[in-house]
Amino acid sequence: MMAILSLENTSRLFWLGRYSERVYTTLRFFAEQFDAMIDGGKNFFDCTTKEDFAKKYCFDENNPNSIYFALIKAYDNAIELREEIGSDTFSYIQMAVYEMNKAKKSAAPLLQLQKVVDNIAAFWGMADDKIDDEQIRSIIKLGKRIERVDLYSRMGAMDSDIKREVARMNYRIAKKSLNFNSEHFEKLNELVKEENINRQALITEVESLIEFSSLMN
């Protein structure tokens, strides 16, 4: 039997999916760029040292664009959803925060950051295994897929990767776990048919896809 979800908890589930994916994908990007800065002396995001890069991009709890901020937002949503997702599933978000705080204090944070990635992956696996309500699982997964399309468009992923992620997102939308804007959905799918995808236009369409998504982010 499906749970009767309030709009507030529906939004929380959606953003739990988005923020957990944001942590996962941006941490992978961070690890690549952190290594590049060490190996090649590259300068990212106006940061001149790897320590400054880590502080601004990864660990700044007051920066809404940081990985730490996204993880805390995922945690805040998860703790309000413990009844819906279960304590076992929630515990992996909790452990991800624990490892992130350890990484924040470390002079060599990549080991702890990999554990954050591992805990987010375990959270998704536990959600599949422990959450019986298909509607709840589908809303989390839809948020995850929408966020991945958004991030891949922003981070310069290959067009083939973006097209694959759009196909996965479409599968989730077909589950009809949330109302979506059909006009933006059609435009988005037309964009990914182009030989060279217009990334900015794609971001605009994917951000407009779920009509309530700006309520609680």
Side-chain angles (χ1 to χ4, degrees):
M1 181 177 178
M2 285 190 178
I4 300 174
L5 296 171
S6 66
L7 179 61
E8 185 176 31
N9 278 353
T10 300
S11 184
R12 284 189 175 119
L13 289 165
F14 177 75
W15 282 102
L16 174 58
R18 289 202 66 163
Y19 279 118
S20 60
E21 171 60 29
R22 192 172 302 178
V23 171
Y24 181 84
T25 292
T26 51
L27 266 178
R28 292 171 63 197
F29 174 79
F30 170 82
E32 292 172 3
Q33 304 308 324
F34 193 79
D35 284 341
M37 176 171 273
I38 293 170
D39 295 337
K42 291 186 178 181
N43 186 323
F44 293 98
F45 306 105
D46 298 320
C47 302
T48 55
T49 68
K50 67 181 187 297
E51 291 82 11
D52 190 35
F53 177 50
K55 181 178 179 181
K56 287 183 179 178
Y57 186 68
C58 196
F59 300 120
D60 186 352
E61 59 193 86
N62 297 314
N63 178 2
N65 296 314
S66 76
I67 300 170
Y68 190 93
F69 186 92
L71 180 56
I72 295 304
K73 294 291 280 187
Y75 176 85
D76 288 345
N77 282 299
I79 201 168
E80 294 293 335
L81 293 163
R82 289 183 72 164
E83 184 174 340
E84 286 74 18
I85 68 175
S87 295
D88 289 341
T89 305
F90 166 74
S91 69
Y92 284 96
I93 297 291
Q94 196 172 31
M95 285 189 286
V97 174
Y98 173 75
E99 295 296 344
M100 179 64 87
N101 284 325
K102 285 179 66 176
K104 188 175 183 180
K105 297 174 184 177
S106 174
L110 291 185
L111 178 61
Q112 274 75 36
L113 291 177
Q114 181 57 50
K115 291 180 180 179
V116 176
V117 171
D118 293 345
N119 277 303
I120 295 297
F123 159 73
W124 291 330
M126 188 62 72
D128 268 335
D129 189 53
K130 292 291 187 179
I131 299 175
D132 293 329
D133 193 297
E134 183 180 0
Q135 181 188 23
I136 290 173
R137 294 197 310 271
S138 291
I139 294 170
I140 295 172
K141 289 179 179 179
L142 178 57
K144 171 183 174 179
R145 292 301 170 193
I146 284 177
E147 184 67 22
R148 186 167 292 186
V149 172
D150 188 306
L151 290 172
Y152 277 27
S153 300
R154 295 175 190 272
M155 292 180 172
M158 295 175 62
D159 281 3
S160 58
D161 290 333
I162 293 174
K163 290 177 181 182
R164 184 178 68 251
E165 294 305 329
V166 168
R168 290 174 172 176
M169 183 194 71
N170 288 346
Y171 173 79
R172 283 292 145 201
I173 286 175
K175 294 285 187 179
K176 295 183 172 58
S177 55
L178 291 177
N179 293 326
F180 65 94
N181 187 301
S182 59
E183 181 180 352
H184 290 294
F185 178 74
E186 290 171 8
K187 287 181 180 178
L188 185 153
N189 279 279
E190 286 299 318
L191 285 168
V192 296
K193 293 177 183 177
E194 296 176 359
E195 185 175 352
N196 295 304
I197 297 174
N198 182 331
R199 306 300 180 92
Q200 190 55 55
L202 187 63
I203 291 166
T204 298
E205 299 305 330
V206 78
E207 287 293 342
S208 303
L209 196 55
I210 303 300
E211 294 170 330
F212 75 85
S213 63
S214 64
L215 292 179
M216 292 180 59
N217 58 9

